[in-house]
């Protein structure tokens, strides 16, 4: 890219901070997209990027996604995201986490961090020794906090139920065939709930053991990672990484619904039109996967208990319905409808 400002993913981000800590070797980015609605909330991703420029793009896209997600979930939080650039061995040291915590603290509450891919509750606890602007910390029974994954799963499961009702006319997931891409934290929770309802599950993960363990637990079938999106299924649920819906993959889909927790599922905005034109019901990712940040926000802001969190997550299907209704009424694709709603909420409509 010529410069950060010319990047197609730069969207009037308020701050993009490049962090280098010589002693620990930490290289990280904190991107603040919009603080219109409050302090900026978004997790920190630990990932090995082939090129450091890919980390910049990821931080820009993910932080804008958090602005949209927090706004659409009705939270008093702006949107931001951090990425830590891992080496090829994915070396993560206490010194690196401490340096990252100091960088968050230096922003004095403008950015609140939490878990994302590659970061555990234990990692966030280590970071919390340096800053109080962190959520997703260990909690006791009944308290709000901890791993956001199960909360994200709950919202994704509810969104899949709403989509199955609308697109397939099904009042329950009994007999509904769901193809799950990923067998990690979010997919695992979705699989357990859907299996309890009697859904038929096909599961793929690049970590074959993980896919096998989950499939054994829920009575599902393991399928190949490069086939899972293209199975003949009622629902395809992407729960691994982003940009999997593109010009090549969308024509090959054989599903009625795409509804999953992965961030940034559409490679480009045009892919929202492509999926719409195929007549596939798409649940905009940042709307359906807001359960985790709802929990994080309630923990950090301190404005509710476990019942509050549950109630806020149970509002996700209603938001999806509003988006799908507007999509039908206007003929615009669901992702574009959601983006417009979100941009209005953050004062950029
Ligand atoms: P996770 O690391 O627990 O699981 C992700 C799984 O995907 C891993 O098992 C990994 O091996 C697998 N995977 C990676 N590439 C794959 C591929 N090409 N094909 C099949 N499997 C592949 O992560 P998670 O917490 O379950 O998050 C999953 C997705 O949901 C991510 O995109 C994340 O950003 C998003 N998300 C998570 C949360 C949360 O609360 N954990 C919240 C919002 C969004």
């Amino acid at each position: 890219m010529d410069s950060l400002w010319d990047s197609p993913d730069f969207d009037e981000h308020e701050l993009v901070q490049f962090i280098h800590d010589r002693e620990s070797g930490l290289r990280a980015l904190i991107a603040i997209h919009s603080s219109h609605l409050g302090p900026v909330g978004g997790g920190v991703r630990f990932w090995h990027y082939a090129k450091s420029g890919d980390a910049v793009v990821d931080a820009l896209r993910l932080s804008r996604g958090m602005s949209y997600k927090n706004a659409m979930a009705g939270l008093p939080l702006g949107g931001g995201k951090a990425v830590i650039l891992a080496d090829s061995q994915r070396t993560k040291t206490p010194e690196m986490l401490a340096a990252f915590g100091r960088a968050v603290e230096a922003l004095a509450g403008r950015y609140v961090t939490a878990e994302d891919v590659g970061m555990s509750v234990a990692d966030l606890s280590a970071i919390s020794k340096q800053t109080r602007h962190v959520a997703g910390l260990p909690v006791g029974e009944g308290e709000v906090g901890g791993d956001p994954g199960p909360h994200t799963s709950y919202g994704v499961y509810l969104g899949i139920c709403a989509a199955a009702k609308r697109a397939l006319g099904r009042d329950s997931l009994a007999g509904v065939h769901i193809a799950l891409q990923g067998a990690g934290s979010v997919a695992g929770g979705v699989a357990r709930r859907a299996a309890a309802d009697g859904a038929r599950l096909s599961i793929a993960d690049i970590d074959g053991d993980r896919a096998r363990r989950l499939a054994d637990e829920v009575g599902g079938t393991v399928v190949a990672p490069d086939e899972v999106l293209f199975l003949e299924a009622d629902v395809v649920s992407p729960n691994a990484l982003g940009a999997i819906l593109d010009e090549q993959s969308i024509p090959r889909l054989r599903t009625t619904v795409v509804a999953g927790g992965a961030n940034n599922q559409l490679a480009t905005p045009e892919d929202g039109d492509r999926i719409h034109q195929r007549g596939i019901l798409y649940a905009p990712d940042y709307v359906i996967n807001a359960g985790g940040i709802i929990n994080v926000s309630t923990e950090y802001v301190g404005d509710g208990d476990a019942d509050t969190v549950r109630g806020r997550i149970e509002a996700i299907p209603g938001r999806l319905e509003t988006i799908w209704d507007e999509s039908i009424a206007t003929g615009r694709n669901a992702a574009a409808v959601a983006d417009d709603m979100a941009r209005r909420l953050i004062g950029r409509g």
Side-chain angles (χ1 to χ4, degrees):
M1 76 182 79
D2 293 336
S3 84
L4 193 59
W5 287 275
D6 300 322
S7 157
D9 295 300
F10 184 75
D11 177 44
E12 298 180 47
H13 286 69
E14 293 174 15
L15 179 107
V16 182
Q17 188 167 57
F18 291 77
I19 299 151
H20 178 244
D21 181 69
R22 186 172 187 164
E23 276 173 24
S24 65
L26 174 79
R27 289 195 304 157
L29 284 153
I30 298 176
I32 293 181
H33 176 253
S34 164
S35 55
H36 183 76
L37 294 173
V40 162
V44 50
R45 176 167 294 196
F46 183 85
W47 192 250
H48 173 62
Y49 294 93
K51 295 186 294 214
S52 56
D54 296 345
V56 180
V57 169
D58 222 16
L60 293 176
R61 295 188 70 187
L62 290 166
S63 58
R64 180 181 51 198
M66 288 310 301
S67 287
Y68 292 3
K69 183 186 307 199
N70 294 341
M72 291 296 277
L75 301 173
L77 292 179
K81 198 90 177 186
V83 297
I84 296 178
L85 286 76
D87 63 18
S88 56
Q89 274 77 51
R90 292 170 169 72
T91 315
K92 191 197 285 169
T93 64
E95 291 76 20
M96 286 166 68
L97 295 175
F100 179 74
R102 288 194 298 276
V104 172
E105 180 62 17
L107 290 171
R110 255 182 105 183
Y111 167 66
V112 183
T113 197
E115 287 89 353
D116 191 60
V117 174
M119 295 294 284
S120 66
V121 174
D123 294 332
L124 270 294
S125 291
I127 290 168
S128 75
K129 294 198 175 73
Q130 308 296 330
T131 179
R132 62 199 165 79
H133 306 299
V134 45
L137 298 173
V139 284
E141 189 65 31
E143 289 173 351
V144 176
D147 179 9
H151 303 280
T152 304
S153 298
Y154 183 40
V156 172
Y157 160 77
L158 294 174
I160 290 174
C161 292
K165 185 160 176 53
R166 178 175 278 249
L168 307 163
R170 307 290 270 270
D171 285 327
S172 107
L173 295 184
V176 172
H177 180 201
I178 304 175
L180 288 161
Q181 184 183 46
S185 170
V186 175
V190 172
R192 284 176 205 105
R193 287 179 188 276
D197 289 351
R200 188 155 71 83
L201 299 171
S202 298
I203 300 169
D205 197 297
I206 48 169
D207 179 340
D209 289 342
R210 217 169 185 190
R212 166 61 45 215
R213 277 197 306 276
L214 183 60
D216 286 349
E217 184 190 337
V218 300
T221 306
V222 175
V223 295
D226 57 357
E227 287 171 11
V228 66
L229 290 179
F230 312 117
L231 293 182
E232 197 168 333
D234 297 310
V235 178
V236 163
S237 185
N239 294 287
L241 291 172
I244 39 93
L245 299 172
D246 62 16
E247 210 173 347
Q248 276 76 44
S249 65
I250 292 171
R252 297 178 61 203
L253 294 172
R254 293 190 294 158
T255 182
T256 313
V257 170
V258 173
N263 284 312
N264 295 333
Q265 291 168 34
L266 301 173
T268 67
E270 292 73 43
D271 296 310
D273 280 329
R274 289 194 179 99
I275 203 160
H276 183 72
Q277 281 154 11
R278 290 265 346 254
I280 294 168
L281 186 67
Y282 173 66
D285 43 23
Y286 57 82
V287 181
I288 194 172
N289 73 13
I293 195 71
I294 287 171
N295 191 59
V296 159
S297 170
T298 312
E299 173 189 358
Y300 183 75
V301 179
D303 62 349
D305 58 12
D307 287 338
T308 317
V309 171
R310 201 169 309 109
R312 288 174 178 165
I313 295 173
E314 287 169 358
I316 288 175
R319 292 207 176 84
L320 291 171
E321 296 287 357
T322 306
I323 292 162
W324 291 329
D325 286 343
E326 190 169 323
S327 172
I328 289 173
T330 61
R332 302 187 64 222
N333 79 71
V337 167
D339 284 359
D340 284 354
M341 286 181 181
R343 291 190 79 81
R344 284 195 295 275
L345 289 168
I346 63 169
R348 297 191 189 183

